[in-house]
């Protein structure tokens, strides 16, 4: 006899699936872990208990133990807790303090295992444990950098000065060896860390440790790639200026950091000044408004005088339409230069600045070939409006010219230079009489 097929399910009723009586459905391990209760303190207790069995100071044994524990404890689920234990010895509560539940601190951690006074070589052995752990469990590196380390650094003032130093030295080694980006230092720019000086102290220790094993160029490259360029922001508000910053880092033997800061500051100032000048020109702003702005930038002394005058010239000349017919452009350029000369004259008080301006104009004319033959007329206009002195023009002609189109510009300005020399000679003769 053939089996009778099951009767069709009436419309509107849910189909009842067959049930295998006596068969147990087993969950996959991954599902079990995902659904398991989240118990960070239980994880901490298990981890610290296992680490207790390792002899103090045997960091190779610690690395081996952590390797094995990855198969027993759920590192992926407790990434933050794992690194809190390994960095500071216990779990942190919101606000940065330790969770006070009577538990003992881990026998191994950066602040618990490092010697006092702090030694970089000693901490390097501890940092190597982190390297070995993350080589074995690669998925841990991202949460270590982006969550755990950042989270601890923003509460660094909760630790004692000696523990802050340990964390700073270790962080420097994490960054210099590629385990983290210097961007983790941005966590220090919290108001509470900046105001009490914790941020700048940490940053200083970080930099001193870094250059003890790597070059200043390597450090500056790491800071730049990590977006740590606004070094003033790590200083207390009353000290957020170039003078205080330079004095602080120079006293710490970090002249290279000062040079890096000034270079970054100069580059940003150039971009900002040029952009603002272009806006002024586009808006046809009043010259008094432009001059007030330029004087404020000049007083900050972030840009050298030659850099500043070059930016001013470049910004002001954006008003000139270079698509004008070649036969009309020279006259328009001369007219424009006569009008803007009052904005140049206040900042051309030193021979070096005047020569820098001439070189800027030389390159400008070289790049805008329609104006190459107008170069002598431009110098003559600026001489007549007291922007340039005869000594600056003569010096430029003798040994200050740039290589771009040099011979052409020297030949073109020879009559003007000869005239200026004759003027000098006649003035000297009058003085002698």
């Amino acid at each position: 006899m053939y089996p009778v097929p099951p009767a069709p399910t009436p419309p509107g009723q849910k189909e009842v699936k067959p049930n295998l009586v006596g068969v147990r459905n087993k969950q996959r391990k991954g599902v079990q872990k995902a659904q398991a209760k989240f118990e960070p303190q239980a994880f901490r207790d298990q981890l610290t208990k296992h680490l207790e069995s390792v002899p103090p100071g045997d960091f190779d044994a610690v690395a081996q133990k952590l390797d094995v524990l990855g198969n027993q404890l759920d590192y992926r689920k407790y990434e933050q807790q794992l690194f809190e234990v390994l960095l500071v010895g216990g779990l942190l509560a919101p606000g940065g303090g330790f969770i006070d539940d009577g538990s003992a601190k881990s026998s191994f951690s950066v602040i618990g295992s490092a010697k006092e006074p702090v030694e970089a070589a000693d901490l390097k052995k501890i940092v190597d444990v982190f390297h070995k752990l993350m080589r074995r469990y690669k998925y841990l590196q991202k949460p270590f950098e982006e969550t755990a380390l950042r989270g601890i650094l923003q509460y660094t003032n909760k630790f004692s000065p000696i523990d802050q130093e340990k964390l700073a030295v270790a962080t420097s080694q994490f960054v210099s060896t590629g385990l983290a980006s210097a961007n983790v230092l941005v966590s220090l720019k919290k108001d509470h860390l900046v105001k009490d000086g914790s941020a700048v102290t940490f940053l200083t220790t970080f930099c001193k440790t870094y250059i003890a094993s790597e070059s200043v160029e390597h450090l500056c490259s790491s800071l730049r790639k990590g977006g740590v360029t606004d070094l003033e922001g790590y200083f207390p508000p009353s000290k957020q200026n170039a003078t205080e910053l330079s004095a602080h880092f120079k006293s710490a033997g970090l002249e290279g950091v000062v040079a890096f800061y000034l270079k970054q500051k100069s580059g940003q100032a150039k971009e900002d000044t040029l952009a603002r000048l272009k806006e002024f020109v586009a808006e046809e702003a009043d010259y008094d408004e432009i001059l007030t702005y330029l004087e404020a930038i000049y007083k900050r002394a972030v840009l050298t005088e030659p850099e500043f005058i070059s930016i001013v010239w470049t910004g002001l000349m954006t008003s000139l339409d270079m698509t004008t017919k070649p036969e009309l452009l020279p006259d328009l350029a001369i007219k424009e230069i006569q009008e803007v000369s009052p904005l140049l004259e206040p900042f051309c008080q030193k021979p070096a600045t005047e020569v820098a301006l001439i070189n800027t104009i030389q390159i400008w004319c070289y790049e805008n070939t329609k104006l190459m033959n107008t170069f002598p007329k431009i110098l003559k206009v600026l001489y007549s409006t007291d922007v340039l002195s005869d000594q600056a023009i003569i010096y430029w002609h003798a040994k200050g010219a740039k290589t771009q189109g040099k011979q052409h510009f020297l030949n073109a300005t020879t009559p003007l230079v000869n005239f200026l020399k004759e003027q000098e000679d006649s003035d000297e003769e009058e003085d002698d009489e």
Side-chain angles (χ1 to χ4, degrees), residues 28-39:
R28 290 181 176 273
K29 290 182 180 179
V31 175
Q32 288 179 330
K33 286 186 176 182
Q35 294 179 351
K37 187 177 180 181
F38 185 67
E39 299 178 307

Side-chain angles (χ1 to χ4, degrees), residues 354-374:
E354 295 177 51
V355 173
L357 176 58
I358 298 173
N359 279 325
T360 299
I361 298 169
Q362 176 191 334
I363 295 171
W364 181 71
C365 289
Y366 178 78
E367 293 175 347
N368 298 286
T369 53
K370 297 177 185 177
L371 294 172
M372 286 188 70
N373 293 328
T374 314

Side-chain angles (χ1 to χ4, degrees), residues 134-387:
M134 280 175 263
R135 275 201 299 268
R136 177 68 176 83
Y137 300 100
K138 298 185 186 303
Y139 63 84
L140 289 174
Q141 183 166 354
K142 187 174 182 179
F144 169 71
E145 176 184 355
E146 296 184 358
T147 307
L149 190 54
R150 292 174 190 271
I152 288 172
L153 293 191
Q154 68 178 328
Y155 298 118
T156 185
N157 65 329
K158 296 292 184 179
F159 303 100
S160 68
I162 191 70
D163 287 345
Q164 290 183 45
E165 184 181 357
K166 293 174 185 177
L167 285 171
V169 172
T171 301
S172 180
Q173 294 177 347
F174 288 141
V175 174
S176 65
T177 56
L179 211 54
S181 161
N183 190 256
V184 297
L185 296 174
V186 175
S187 296
L188 297 170
K189 295 177 75 173
K190 302 290 184 182
D191 287 344
H192 61 282
L193 298 177
V194 170
K195 289 178 180 178
D196 69 5
S198 297
V200 69
T201 300
F202 192 103
L203 178 64
T204 305
T205 302
F206 174 95
C207 293
K208 290 178 72 174
T209 303
Y210 203 111
I211 64 172
S213 59
E214 302 290 346
S215 66
V216 172
E217 291 74 21
H218 195 288
L219 167 63
C220 295
S221 176
S222 291
L223 293 176
R224 185 175 61 254
K225 290 177 181 177
V228 185
T229 54
D230 178 24
L231 300 185
E232 285 183 14
Y234 293 85
F235 283 73
S238 62
K239 296 184 178 181
Q240 290 183 2
N241 58 71
T243 303
E244 292 282 357
L245 184 145
S246 298
H248 173 82
F249 283 121
K250 284 180 180 179
S251 67
L254 295 169
E255 288 82 359
V257 174
V258 176
F260 165 76
Y261 157 76
L262 293 175
K263 183 177 180 180
Q264 297 299 312
K265 195 76 173 176
S266 172
Q268 188 61 51
K270 287 179 182 178
E271 292 179 11
D272 293 345
T273 304
L274 184 57
R276 190 70 186 101
L277 280 173
K278 288 180 178 179
E279 290 177 3
F280 279 133
V281 170
E283 296 166 358
E284 298 184 355
D286 184 85
Y287 277 15
D288 288 339
E289 183 182 357
I290 300 175
L291 185 59
T292 300
Y293 169 77
L294 291 177
E295 287 174 342
I297 297 296
Y298 183 78
K299 288 177 181 177
R300 292 180 192 171
V302 175
L303 297 172
T304 64
E305 293 185 13
E307 288 175 329
F308 179 78
I309 200 64
S310 178
I311 291 294
V312 173
W313 173 269
T314 303
L316 294 177
M317 287 301 104
T318 57
S319 62
L320 200 60
D321 184 3
M322 291 299 176
T323 62
T324 304
K325 292 181 180 181
E327 62 270 22
L328 301 177
L329 186 59
D331 288 339
L332 286 176
I334 293 299
K335 181 181 179 182
E336 185 66 26
I337 292 166
Q338 285 175 327
E339 291 180 359
V340 302
S341 59
L343 294 173
L344 295 169
E345 190 273 332
F347 309 107
C348 287
Q349 303 300 316
K350 296 180 181 179
T353 308
E354 295 177 51
V355 173
L357 176 58
I358 298 173
N359 279 325
T360 299
I361 298 169
Q362 176 191 334
I363 295 171
W364 181 71
C365 289
Y366 178 78
E367 293 175 347
N368 298 286
T369 53
K370 297 177 185 177
L371 294 172
M372 286 188 70
N373 293 328
T374 314
F375 180 71
K377 292 182 180 179
I378 295 174
L379 297 191
K380 190 172 182 180
V381 168
L382 295 177
Y383 170 71
S384 65
T385 54
D386 288 331
V387 175

